[in-house]
Amino acid sequence: MQQGEAWIIDAVRSPRGKGKATGGLHEVHPQRILAQVLNGLRDRNGFDTAEVDDVVMGCGAGSGDHAMDIARMAALDAGWDLDAPGVTLNRFCGSGQQAVNFAAMGVRAGFQNLVVAGGVESMSRPASMHVDGFSANNAHLREQYAMVPQGISADLIATIEGFSREECDQLAVDSQNRCDAAVKDGRFGDALVPILNDEGDLALDHDEFPRPGTTVSDLGKLPPSFEQMGAHVQKGQSLSIDATALLAYPNVEKVNHVHHAGNSSGVVDGASAVLVASPEYAKANGMKPRARVVMTAVAGTEPVIMLTAPGPAAKRCLDNAGMTFDDIELFEVNEAFAAVVLKFLKDTGVDWDKVNVNGGAMALGHPIGATGGMLIGTLLDEMERQDKQTGLVTMCTGGGMGTATVIERV
């Protein structure tokens, strides 16, 4: 094999189901959701699963129903050839994007010819991980970086940057309106793989989280989600969670709590899969590329504020590609919280009209491990719809990191 390009042949996803017991995907095991998405990708593209070098999947949980290397187990559940291996990785919210990035690296390096990457998360099926938070019971790490829940970090970003509740709510309304227009125009339909239950009946064939018609006035009635949490003193600690966060930012007097259910990412279930191939394999097997992966990057930032790395990751990715933000025509910035997107826009100067044009996680939901693969597929679909050539996906993650990918249509 020779070093070359990594082509994206196709990208599919499940619908996003509400992440609660009443959600359309709750009764379907996450292995089964991912297995059906894998088979949807196979059926659309006709590849031999025995020739898949690896199935690389992101998953944020890794416990309970998501345990035991869900990538391999889902491939087995799908009935794929036993020669198709699988590996599951965790870069928190960026796990699915990192899976695609690793697939592209393997193919570009000439180590692999055909890789399926993406991710899965059934947030309606949580399982205890028996840890005290990001430090995972490591007192030494906690003494160095007293990491707090992400909602507190998002509110801390808004406080430091001066983002108001009204700005965050307007961004959320924009996301809902854009999503509503995209749904009505059928922009998501081609990529969706309907999910069946074990009896063979339809479980879900559409995204069920969006709330069309949401207004700023509606959102203004919602109480801040993390204010009470911030005032809470955890067992064995002497300071509230807010006060703990401010140890890293002593110049900040108090945390302004602006985030709530409406301007934060939705809790949902879902899976994604992206088919990455070498040009040689694609040509030999009659596969037509939709895009190539130009560059990928990861960046780290201060881990208490945690969610500020999308801008730095995107810049590093573009720098390494010899590009600038002006070279990118469309962006997908994961809407983990409104302040994350506002921070990206402030850091980069990118026009909001180029970002998340079909709505984002505030409207559609964020199935942690699956989202990165979903965003890459959504971006590619929109690039084709608008006849654009270049796009960039970036996400914040736990632990103060960001992932980025630049793609270009072939």
Side-chain angles (χ1 to χ4, degrees), residues 232-317:
H232 177 68
V233 178
Q234 294 176 301
K235 184 178 179 181
Q237 304 297 319
S238 59
L239 298 175
S240 70
I241 295 177
D242 273 0
T244 299
L246 294 181
L247 290 175
Y249 295 88
N251 294 329
V252 179
E253 184 176 342
K254 66 183 295 265
V255 177
N256 182 26
H257 293 284
V258 300
H259 289 94
H260 50 75
N263 61 25
S264 306
S265 55
V267 175
V268 293
D269 302 338
S272 62
V274 180
L275 185 61
V276 182
S278 67
E280 295 76 19
Y281 183 91
K283 292 172 184 176
N285 289 273
M287 293 178 170
K288 183 179 179 181
R290 297 177 62 191
R292 68 184 182 98
V293 178
V294 175
M295 186 58 64
T296 75
V298 188
T301 55
E302 197 281 306
V304 175
I305 206 165
M306 195 175 302
L307 308 174
T308 58
K315 186 176 187 306
R316 177 175 293 175
C317 194

Side-chain angles (χ1 to χ4, degrees), residues 107-179:
V107 170
R108 282 193 64 171
F111 295 152
Q112 297 169 314
N113 270 319
L114 188 68
V115 183
V116 175
V120 62
E121 207 84 40
S122 287
M123 298 179 76
S124 67
R125 291 177 174 235
S128 176
M129 289 186 279
H130 306 289
V131 296
D132 65 358
F134 287 99
S135 59
N137 308 325
N138 181 359
H140 184 265
L141 175 60
R142 184 171 179 82
E143 288 175 4
Q144 297 176 77
Y145 301 105
M147 287 176 274
V148 295
Q150 288 191 352
I152 304 297
S153 297
D155 285 339
L156 183 57
I157 293 171
T159 301
I160 291 172
E161 299 294 339
F163 301 144
S164 68
R165 165 75 179 254
E166 292 72 22
E167 287 178 281
C168 292
D169 287 355
Q170 184 58 62
L171 203 77
V173 169
D174 288 351
S175 184
Q176 292 287 351
N177 289 341
R178 293 175 178 187
C179 176

Side-chain angles (χ1 to χ4, degrees), residues 60-88:
S63 60
D65 292 339
H66 298 84
M68 301 300 179
D69 188 3
I70 194 169
R72 171 63 170 175
M73 296 307 133
L76 293 174
D77 186 87
W80 282 24
D81 194 283
L82 298 183
D83 283 348
V87 62
T88 305

